[in-house]
Amino acid sequence: MAKKGHYSLMIHGGAGTLDRVKEPETAARYLQSIRRILEHGRAVLELGGSALQTVETCASLLEDDPLFNAGCGSVLNEFGKVEMDAAIMDGRDLSAGAVAAVQNIANPIQLARQVMAKSEHVMLIAEGAMRFADRCGIERQPDNYFYTPDRVAQLEQARQKHRIMLDHDANDADGETEKYGTIGAVARDREGNLAAATSTGGMVNKRMGRVGDSPILGAGVYADNETCAVSATGYGEDFMRTLIGKTISDFMLMKAMDGTQATAAGIDYLKRKVQGRGGVIVVDKNGQCSRGLTSKKMIHGWIEMCGESMAGYY
Ligand code: ASP
């Protein structure tokens, strides 16, 4: 049971595998970034910042790092364009904001927060979301803010294979995947409030207009003070069909499980029903940190009940 005043935070940079031996430097860069951003989150929570503020800060910093498939590092769709999805949710009152298929926005998570705060809606998409961004004074970034040579090469590879791929879907010898993608953050603040944020460029070579799980409440993102905060990464279609975030929350609400039991039960459901591929991070109402995955690995980090920062990909 969390003591009053304790906070917890988890962040992820995508599910999959990263071949440590082949790319030790890249692996180290991912972990460094995760650790650095965790410490930013800790600073917000230490100063009494809310879970909502913390997940927005962490998600924005992850979007600003081109290593990850979100914000400036987003993958490219079938026409070589970036289309991003993001959502943020406040466990205090289930208020939420989401955007889908947005372009030229540096921090879609901040736009999602504006949708939550300043519109009477929960989700805005595409051109409508971008016009709303203009009204909020959020600047549009030029196309070249987003395109990295890696992303162009990755799209070419996907096109040659006629495949739609996860960011971390470059097959290695045993058919598993490498490299990481989508980002997410979940937190419990000192007041015991929960929040979740997820942001992504989606899948490589995805169809124009495709929306994944990340901005869908209850699928790629969910937070309820009575249960837990969840952020998912992996094949969005699998998470949408199983509503993985809400399913994990419901296991806590209706089956009196703790966060770790509910995460395991949720992952079991994902496997059993749709052979789902990916992972989740979960902070429960007591501040317990859990993860679950069906992919080989997930890059993530956590601070459990004001403890040490931990980071790894396993
Ligand atoms: N879940 C994301 C999507 O389907 C992709 C990812 O997690 O890398 O859009």
Side-chain angles (χ1 to χ4, degrees), residues 197-244:
T198 306
S199 179
T200 189
M203 313 260 299
V204 185
N205 203 23
K206 66 184 179 181
R207 282 188 196 279
M208 185 181 169
R210 178 262 187 190
V211 175
D213 62 306
S214 308
I216 308 293
L217 307 181
V221 65
Y222 198 69
D224 179 352
N225 273 10
E226 271 191 74
T227 55
C228 58
V230 184
S231 173
T233 167
Y235 282 83
E237 283 71 6
D238 299 342
F239 295 135
M240 289 158 89
R241 292 160 68 209
T242 52
L243 281 179
I244 190 70

Side-chain angles (χ1 to χ4, degrees), residues 15 69 74-78 150-172 175-182 200-207 210 234-237 277:
N69 172 19
S74 291
V75 299
L76 306 179
N77 72 9
E78 61 179 337
D150 283 0
R151 293 307 187 201
V152 174
Q154 188 184 39
L155 174 64
E156 201 38 52
Q157 199 188 11
R159 279 177 173 159
Q160 276 166 14
K161 291 183 183 166
H162 303 288
R163 287 185 61 200
I164 295 167
M165 309 192 321
L166 281 181
D167 174 27
H168 28 84
D169 220 9
N171 279 343
D172 63 16
E176 252 288 355
T177 59
E178 60 183 323
K179 294 203 175 70
Y180 294 94
T182 290
T200 189
M203 313 260 299
V204 185
N205 203 23
K206 66 184 179 181
R207 282 188 196 279
R210 178 262 187 190
Y235 282 83
E237 283 71 6
R277 294 147 295 173

Side-chain angles (χ1 to χ4, degrees), residues 248-270:
I248 291 171
S249 171
D250 281 351
F251 276 126
M252 289 192 69
L253 196 65
M254 295 173 195
K255 300 220 171 195
M257 293 182 182
D258 68 17
T260 302
Q261 292 164 334
T263 301
I267 290 293
D268 184 58
Y269 181 77
L270 177 75

